[in-house]
């Protein structure tokens, strides 16, 4: 298990300051880690030691309990530096949130203590070869002593390779969804580093195999109850995805500007001495900056809607938060791909050199935005505007 001594962050301002410092540190070798697929073990130890992984622990358990607006900005900052590193803790915060919503007092006391100590949650959620993303076939089978046996195969298990605890999404005998929190070194649990995505290369989003893994009853949380009333589970998870995309877009724009200022040559017809003075490039950078600003603004609106809904959770406030996050996610997804592609358009031929690895922004954006389709988020926005139909409670919106 993680052996660092974790700092305890006091408040939102400290969380943002720590995230900014870490982003600067992580940015330095982000390109090399991607190019060589150098897994970020040391960087994740830094992340654990910083205390950032515990910033959503409730105040009554010793955490800073930061606003969602702060958490979104933390992820945007990390995503601007290294989209893989930002993606790894996304599920960590989702499963901290599951405990907050459905954990017993004793479960919260134990696991929030683990998080405050710097322990990391991975995930074993998605499955391949099923009918659709919510067709979960991993099973929790009750044993005579009251514990459970867990069997199944999970894919896209981001962070599992680096985790201390792996939350596993599984169905009980009644077909209801539960989350089993399983130690990374549990007998029968195997993590396979077989992720070969073109982007987000160092997330280690590989396979988790569960072969008759024994899970005590007090490590199982009834996740299905989350969706019986107004909830923010999906909106919180999607907000962090949107923040990563906004970070990629901002990082790509900054990289493009630096390249044009320092390396690009002006087009001979422009009549200017430097590429940064080219009026057509200035216009294009303005257009790209407008999209990045719009994405960041929508991200802030969504985060504030989530904070408002958490303060007073109703069907109406939960729906508003989900729709605000859906708008942010749809826009940031498009902006991340747009700006990462335009980086080459504005920078010129030299930017395409493989040795510069500038294509990592596009590869990261194109890979990450496949997580769930933005077109369905736009559908739900349209249904609300036209027919007043509130979004569904399925955890992906």
């Amino acid at each position: 298990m993680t052996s660092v001594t974790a700092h305890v962050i006091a408040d939102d301002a400290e969380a943002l300051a720590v995230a900014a410092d870490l982003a600067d540190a992580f940015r330095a070798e982000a390109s090399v880690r991607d190019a060589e697929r150098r897994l970020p073990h040391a960087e994740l130890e830094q992340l654990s030691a910083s205390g950032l992984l515990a910033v959503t622990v409730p105040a009554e358990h010793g955490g800073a309990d930061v606003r969602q607006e702060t958490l979104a900005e933390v992820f945007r900052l990390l995503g601007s530096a290294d989209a893989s590193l930002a993606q790894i803790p996304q599920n960590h915060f989702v499963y901290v949130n599951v405990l907050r919503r459905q954990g017993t007092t004793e479960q919260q006391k134990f696991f929030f203590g683990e998080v405050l100590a710097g322990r990391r949650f991975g995930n074993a959620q998605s499955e391949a070869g099923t009918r659709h993303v919510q067709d979960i076939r991993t099973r929790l089978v009750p044993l005579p002593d009251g514990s459970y046996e867990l069997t199944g195969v999970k894919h896209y298990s981001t962070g599992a390779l680096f985790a201390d605890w792996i939350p596993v999404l599984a169905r009980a005998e009644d077909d209801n969804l539960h989350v089993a929190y399983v130690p990374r070194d549990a007998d029968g649990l195997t993590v396979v580093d077989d992720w070969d995505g073109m982007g987000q290369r160092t997330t280690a989003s590989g396979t988790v195999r569960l072969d008759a893994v024994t899970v005590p009853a007090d490590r199982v949380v009834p996740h299905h109850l989350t969706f019986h009333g107004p909830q923010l589970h999906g909106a919180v998870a999607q907000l962090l995805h949107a923040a990563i995309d906004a970070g990629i877009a901002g990082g790509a724009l900054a990289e493009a500007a630096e390249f044009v200022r320092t390396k690009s040559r002006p087009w001979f017809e422009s009549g200017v001495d430097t590429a940064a003075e080219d009026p057509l490039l200035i216009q294009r950078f303005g257009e790209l900056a407008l999209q990045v600003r719009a994405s960041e603004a929508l991200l802030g609106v969504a985060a504030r809607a989530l904070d408002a809904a958490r303060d007073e959770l109703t069907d109406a406030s939960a729906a508003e938060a989900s729709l605000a996050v859906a708008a942010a996610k749809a826009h940031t997804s498009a902006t991340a791909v747009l700006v990462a592609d335009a980086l080459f358009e504005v920078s010129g031929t030299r930017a395409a050199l493989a040795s510069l690895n500038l294509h990592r922004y596009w590869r990261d954006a194109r890979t990450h935005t496949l997580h769930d389709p933005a077109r369905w988020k736009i559908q739900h926005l349209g249904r609300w505007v036209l027919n007043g139909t509130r979004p569904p409670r399925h955890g992906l919106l």
Side-chain angles (χ1 to χ4, degrees):
M1 284 203 168
T2 301
S3 58
V4 301
T5 300
H7 172 67
V8 177
I9 288 175
D11 53 28
D12 294 70
E14 186 181 5
L16 292 173
V18 169
D21 288 344
L22 280 179
D24 286 343
F26 293 162
R27 185 177 290 109
E29 295 192 357
S31 178
V32 175
R33 283 193 297 273
D34 172 86
E36 298 177 358
R37 197 174 178 269
R38 185 192 300 170
L39 297 181
H41 292 285
E43 289 76 13
L44 287 169
E45 291 293 286
Q46 283 182 266
L47 187 61
S48 285
S50 76
L52 270 186
L53 295 179
V55 294
T56 59
V57 170
E60 60 267 29
H61 289 275
D65 199 10
V66 301
R67 298 188 305 274
Q68 295 303 294
E69 186 174 12
T70 297
L71 190 63
E73 180 62 7
V74 165
F75 271 80
R76 191 195 68 79
L77 288 166
L78 295 177
S80 71
D82 186 329
S84 287
L85 259 173
Q87 181 61 36
I88 291 168
Q90 189 267 345
N91 285 292
H92 169 91
F93 284 97
V94 169
Y95 285 104
V96 170
N97 200 43
V98 169
L99 288 162
R100 181 175 186 141
R101 176 81 179 189
Q102 296 300 339
T104 65
T105 301
E106 286 304 309
Q107 287 173 328
Q108 290 176 349
K109 181 179 179 181
F110 174 77
F111 280 113
F112 290 155
E114 287 287 280
V115 173
L116 285 164
R119 309 279 190 258
R120 296 188 290 270
F121 292 165
N123 96 97
Q125 181 169 286
S126 295
E127 299 179 13
T130 56
R131 290 182 302 118
H132 51 71
V133 71
Q134 291 207 326
D135 182 17
I136 302 297
R137 299 181 183 177
T138 300
R139 310 304 295 193
L140 267 175
V141 178
L143 298 175
D145 64 359
S147 63
Y148 294 90
E149 186 177 88
L150 190 60
T151 298
V153 179
K154 299 289 189 175
H155 299 269
Y156 309 114
S157 300
T158 302
L161 191 69
F162 313 111
D164 300 292
W165 292 91
I166 300 179
V168 180
L169 196 61
R171 293 195 184 276
E173 284 190 312
D174 59 7
D175 218 35
N176 282 323
L177 280 175
H178 291 67
V179 176
Y181 288 76
V182 183
R184 167 70 175 81
D185 58 359
D187 290 341
L189 187 152
T190 306
V191 181
V192 184
D193 182 21
D194 56 359
W195 170 242
D196 66 348
M198 67 174 182
Q200 292 201 299
R201 298 185 69 226
T202 61
T203 59
S205 301
T207 301
V208 171
R209 294 197 174 95
L210 303 137
D211 183 14
V213 176
T214 300
V215 184
D218 62 0
R219 297 292 181 261
V220 177
V221 176
H223 189 35
H224 62 99
L225 296 179
T226 300
F227 307 103
H228 285 188
Q231 52 81 38
L232 302 172
H233 174 79
V236 169
Q238 291 293 305
L239 181 75
L240 303 186
H241 284 304
I244 293 168
D245 288 338
I248 295 172
L253 184 63
E255 187 89 61
E258 178 65 14
F259 194 94
V260 169
R261 282 194 298 264
T262 61
K263 297 182 178 66
S264 295
R265 297 182 296 179
W267 184 245
F268 71 94
E269 292 179 281
S270 68
V272 296
D273 294 330
T274 67
E277 298 172 282
D278 184 332
L280 297 183
L281 281 180
I282 289 171
Q283 177 70 20
R284 188 61 176 138
F285 270 97
E287 293 167 350
L288 296 173
L290 181 61
Q291 294 305 311
V292 171
R293 283 173 175 256
S295 279
E296 291 174 354
L298 283 169
L299 184 69
V301 168
R304 290 188 291 275
L306 266 172
D307 284 325
R310 283 179 63 184
D311 291 340
E312 190 173 343
L313 186 60
T314 64
D315 281 327
S317 66
E320 172 54 33
S322 287
L323 291 169
V325 173
K329 181 64 166 64
H331 199 280
T332 57
S333 292
T335 302
V337 175
L338 169 70
V339 179
D341 179 70
L343 186 158
F344 300 97
E345 170 198 337
V346 297
S347 299
T349 307
R350 185 179 175 188
L353 294 176
S355 58
L356 296 178
N357 198 25
L358 294 178
H359 48 69
R360 72 184 185 279
Y361 292 100
W362 185 88
R363 289 186 289 102
D364 284 341
R366 186 64 282 175
T367 301
H368 184 249
T369 55
L370 297 175
H371 188 276
D372 51 281
R375 58 186 175 272
W376 276 99
K377 302 181 189 309
I378 295 170
Q379 276 281 314
H380 291 304
L381 287 164
R383 291 173 183 179
W384 170 250
V385 171
L386 272 179
N387 303 314
T389 304
R390 285 175 176 162
R393 297 172 179 163
H394 55 43
L396 288 171
L397 191 70

